[in-house]
Amino acid sequence: MSVNIPRGTQDILPGQSEKWQYIESIAKDVCRRYHYKEIRTPIFEHTELFKRSVGDTTDIVQKEMYTFEDRGERSLTLRPEGTAAVVRSFVENKMFGMADQPVKLYYTGPMFRYERPQAGRYRQFVQFGVEAIGSEDPAIDAEVIGLVMDIYKMAGLKKLKLVINSLGDAESRTKHREALIRHFEPHIEEFCGDCQMRLKQNPLRILDCKKDRDHELMKTAPSILDYLNEESKAYFEKVTAYLDAVGIQYTIDPKLVRGLDYYNHTAFEVMSEAEGFGAITTLCGGGRYNGLVQQLGGPESPGIGFAFSIERFIAAMEAEKVEWPIDKGLDCFIVALGDAAKDRSVSLVHELRTAGLSAERDYQDRKMKAQLKASDRQHARFTAILGEDELTENRITVKDMAEGSQDQVPLNELANYLKTKMEAN
Ligand code: ATP
Ligand code: MG
């Protein structure tokens, strides 16, 4: 019996994995510039953490979690998202007591959701996310949004749309919530079962429903922006003014609500507008969560963050046909002919690697022609040929595949010779 990969997961093979590394390296470099530091948390957490933070009424908690009991009869869950664990760790490690606030963190790693697999939707996917916890300065909202836009920009994506909204503070949300109930209640039986439940539990999330999105009442639903109190309005205006100040373009969409319960004030998403991207265009989601730290047992510490998946990032790069500036990698392939030369090539390839070059040799006892072909296939910048004659004269024939030129190089100078030539162009 053959065993296949589980549904909704994928193997990232060489040829693709370089793209992942490339995006991760850009994201990490932008985080360095913005002075965010990496945090690594476990892949599983107590189930209770997600129930309490993401929210009991959300799709994630109700339908999508990979929950299991361990041998000690604890209920554990493979993390469906990153914020809950980061905030748990913030509280547990008393990061609220650190001198420098906000605490600025980033994370990356696999997340797990039991979803219906389709293009851009996996059961295991990799998120990159950022959290800034401990400040309520609207400048930090603009910073976090600017950070993710910089990551996309550095990667070369252009066809992006940034959408933002304010969900307001608790007072504004309560008023809006009442208005939503008044709006939907008379016709709630025309909506899906989930929405009927949402009406009383969390009517805001009706606006986020994928099944009922075309219902007439969705278009006329009361806008949160009309229910923002003075404070919330002023906060939102500051955020947009700071975005203007750093030249970030955005669209305000009062219908943008986020799936998770813990958001308030600023909410945002980045979409791809590339042609042929497919039905799911959201690349990144984020927002402010001022009550979450307290909800998880810490002191009041307002936070904001975002997460995107590398899967959708790569899909956007492919849809926009952005070049991948990926180094093919191999600097030198050593072609060895005859037993003595093959023996010598073992230490020779090691010398090159020690000198920092990527080097390869033949392990299949192939003839010269096949070795040369292998060198070609592997895009070696240099092919170095070591035959009997070369070996007795302590030299090696080096072909520069880019220039088409050829040199005789003393064996013990091979590494230096290659490095000098590579630095020259
Ligand atoms: P969606 O509306 O597409 O289900 P979401 O609101 O559930 O997204 P978030 O929880 O906000 O998504 O996660 C942030 C980002 O993570 C998304 O914008 C998307 O890029 C990515 N993401 C979410 N779920 C998946 C998945 N199943 N597969 C791949 N990427 C995902
Ligand atoms: Mg989802």
Side-chain angles (χ1 to χ4, degrees):
M1 190 193 90
S2 69
V3 178
N4 297 331
I5 195 168
R7 206 164 126 71
T9 67
Q10 56 175 347
D11 297 317
I12 314 297
L13 305 180
Q16 288 297 314
S17 57
E18 293 85 348
K19 298 177 181 174
W20 290 69
Q21 291 177 345
Y22 172 65
I23 287 169
E24 283 161 5
S25 71
I26 287 181
K28 286 178 184 178
D29 186 53
V30 174
C31 282
R32 179 187 61 79
R33 298 180 200 204
Y34 279 76
H35 200 224
Y36 285 67
K37 300 281 170 71
E38 186 177 12
I39 181 168
R40 301 188 187 199
T41 63
I43 280 182
F44 56 83
E45 296 274 352
H46 290 290
T47 303
E48 188 57 23
L49 175 68
F50 303 112
K51 287 194 174 162
R52 264 175 40 195
S53 56
V54 176
D56 263 333
T57 65
T58 57
D59 281 357
I60 289 185
V61 170
Q62 286 185 348
K63 305 177 189 165
E64 297 177 358
M65 293 205 302
Y66 279 90
T67 298
F68 61 97
E69 210 168 73
D70 75 0
R71 288 164 194 275
E73 295 178 359
R74 297 169 196 90
S75 178
L76 299 172
T77 294
L78 299 182
R79 61 184 182 193
E81 59 98 55
T83 304
V86 171
V87 171
R88 178 207 40 78
S89 178
F90 178 87
V91 173
E92 202 162 343
N93 293 290
K94 299 192 171 54
M95 287 188 235
F96 46 79
M98 287 164 62
D100 289 310
Q101 300 285 325
V103 176
K104 307 209 297 187
L105 303 165
Y106 74 84
Y107 60 85
T108 184
M111 305 294 162
F112 305 84
R113 296 184 194 177
Y114 192 79
E115 305 213 61
R116 196 167 64 78
Q118 53 189 295
R121 204 179 281 295
Y122 300 89
R123 289 183 172 169
Q124 173 174 332
F125 55 100
V126 174
Q127 276 189 341
F128 190 97
V130 150
E131 314 290 348
I133 313 174
S135 168
E136 215 176 347
D137 184 338
I140 202 85
D141 300 45
E143 174 175 295
V144 163
I145 295 171
L147 191 162
V148 70
M149 295 312 282
D150 266 0
I151 294 175
Y152 286 126
K153 191 167 149 197
M154 248 186 100
L157 288 175
K158 295 199 175 75
K159 296 174 183 163
L160 297 178
K161 185 176 177 189
L162 167 65
V163 180
I164 68 169
N165 188 25
S166 173
L167 304 176
D169 60 7
E171 185 189 68
S172 314
R173 284 186 69 154
T174 306
K175 288 220 176 92
H176 182 233
R177 185 193 146 91
E178 289 158 3
L180 285 171
I181 295 177
R182 281 197 301 276
H183 179 75
F184 286 112
E185 197 161 30
H187 298 277
I188 195 64
E189 71 284 355
E190 295 163 28
F191 286 75
C192 72
D194 283 340
C195 281
Q196 297 185 11
M197 292 226 314
R198 286 169 185 143
L199 181 72
K200 285 289 153 62
Q201 289 175 337
N202 193 348
L204 188 67
R205 295 196 49 251
I206 295 178
L207 301 179
D208 206 18
C209 180
K210 293 185 176 90
K211 284 185 213 136
D212 292 319
R213 73 168 99 208
D214 296 324
H215 193 288
E216 212 30 53
L217 284 186
M218 288 292 205
K219 294 178 194 110
T220 52
S223 162
I224 176 72
L225 295 180
D226 295 329
Y227 291 83
L228 295 184
N229 58 17
E230 286 310 312
E231 224 184 324
S232 299
K233 212 179 284 173
Y235 192 92
F236 192 44
E237 274 162 15
K238 269 285 190 195
V239 174
T240 54
Y242 288 142
L243 289 175
D244 294 337
V246 290
I248 293 175
Q249 289 179 0
Y250 54 86
T251 307
I252 295 174
D253 179 359
K255 294 234 160 46
L256 172 72
V257 298
R258 308 263 317 125
L260 319 187
D261 273 358
Y262 50 60
Y263 287 112
N264 48 29
H265 286 293
T266 314
F268 64 97
E269 282 187 355
V270 184
M271 332 271 197
S272 170
E273 293 193 309
E275 245 172 82
F277 187 71
I280 302 173
T281 58
T282 307
L283 298 182
C284 171
R288 181 163 274 288
Y289 46 84
N290 286 352
L292 186 58
V293 174
Q294 255 181 329
Q295 213 171 306
L296 294 178
E300 197 188 320
S301 308
I304 179 160
F306 68 75
F308 62 73
S309 72
I310 315 263
E311 286 82 354
R312 289 192 199 169
F313 199 132
I314 290 176
M317 295 282 284
E318 311 278 13
E320 282 198 36
K321 300 191 173 63
V322 182
E323 281 285 326
W324 294 98
I326 287 168
D327 183 12
K328 292 281 194 302
L330 191 58
D331 297 327
C332 184
F333 190 104
I334 295 173
V335 173
L337 308 164
D339 288 343
K342 280 183 181 164
D343 288 347
R344 178 64 180 91
S345 71
V346 170
S347 56
L348 194 57
V349 79
H350 180 254
E351 282 160 33
L352 297 187
R353 291 167 180 167
T354 307
L357 297 161
S358 65
E360 188 58 287
R361 72 187 277 283
D362 170 62
Y363 294 98
Q364 303 295 108
D365 203 18
R366 282 179 286 207
K367 300 267 186 305
M368 173 147 171
K369 214 172 147 191
Q371 290 191 44
L372 288 171
K373 267 195 182 161
S375 176
D376 222 32
R377 248 193 334 269
Q378 294 172 31
H379 304 284
R381 166 72 205 279
F382 297 95
T383 305
I385 302 164
L386 189 64
E388 311 261 308
D389 291 350
E390 281 96 348
L391 195 58
T392 26
E393 289 161 32
N394 249 317
R395 60 178 174 85
I396 190 162
T397 304
V398 180
K399 288 186 172 183
D400 185 325
M401 309 309 275
E403 291 175 1
S405 60
Q406 185 168 317
D407 264 335
Q408 298 300 320
V409 180
L411 261 186
N412 59 2
E413 281 173 29
L414 180 59
N416 277 338
Y417 170 87
L418 296 177
K419 284 176 101 168
T420 311
K421 275 205 99 170
M422 285 173 70
E423 275 158 23
N425 41 38

